[in-house]
Amino acid sequence: MTLTPPPLLPSPSLLRLRLAPHAGGPRAIDGAWWPRSYDLLAELPGLLAGLPRSWGHITSVVLNGAVWTPTPGRMFVAGQVVRLRRSLTATAAHTVVLLAPGHGRWDLLVVPPDATEEAAKPIMESVTGAGKVVASEPPVAIPRSRP
């Protein structure tokens, strides 16, 4: 009898997140996130796990109700409940707002999951600039990758 090693499991996808430096005053955008889908239940745990500890425990996420797939009002992430609030007006169409009581609010620009790497890269890198990215500038004209 020959023993064969178990098949290798696919490695977890790397989080595609770029955070803005926090030197100076408040910013319109605190970072850019390029999820792999609009399935928040699949994407949110990885995002929250990759955030700086100094941001505290995220207890609420406000997202655009027209863009993301339907979600329940809350979900269990890393042993804690996170409230999910959908809104068409509370956030810009291409942002996700993260709230941590006692720590603050962070707005992340969301690069569409189907954006090409060529189109997404400058958006991701722009958040490290001198505050030039603003939430009202949605990445509408981003070329989509082809299946």
Side-chain angles (χ1 to χ4, degrees):
M1 177 161 97
T2 307
L3 295 176
T4 58
L8 295 175
L9 298 174
S11 62
S13 300
L14 295 177
L15 179 62
R16 300 184 296 188
L17 176 69
R18 178 74 59 102
L19 299 178
H22 280 102
R27 298 177 54 88
I29 290 292
D30 298 292
W33 175 41
W34 185 18
R36 287 175 169 72
S37 73
Y38 279 118
D39 180 357
L40 195 65
L41 297 179
E43 300 291 339
L44 189 60
L47 172 64
L48 297 183
L51 295 175
R53 289 183 186 254
S54 63
W55 285 23
H57 171 66
I58 304 299
T59 60
S60 296
V61 176
V62 182
L63 53 113
N64 184 289
V67 177
W68 295 89
T69 58
T71 58
R74 59 186 166 192
M75 69 183 282
F76 212 54
V77 179
Q80 301 200 0
V81 175
V82 176
R83 298 177 85 171
L84 306 176
R85 299 186 317 195
R86 301 173 76 79
S87 173
L88 296 175
T89 58
T91 64
H94 296 282
T95 62
V96 169
V97 178
L98 308 173
L99 303 168
H103 287 89
R105 165 191 169 142
W106 293 272
D107 293 41
L108 299 178
L109 181 68
V110 177
V111 177
D114 57 352
T116 63
E117 186 170 344
E118 180 180 66
K121 186 177 179 181
I123 294 169
M124 297 291 289
E125 291 175 348
S126 70
V127 299
T128 60
K132 294 178 182 168
V133 177
V134 292
S136 61
E137 295 177 5
V140 194
I142 293 179
R144 308 299 191 231
S145 60
R146 295 188 177 161

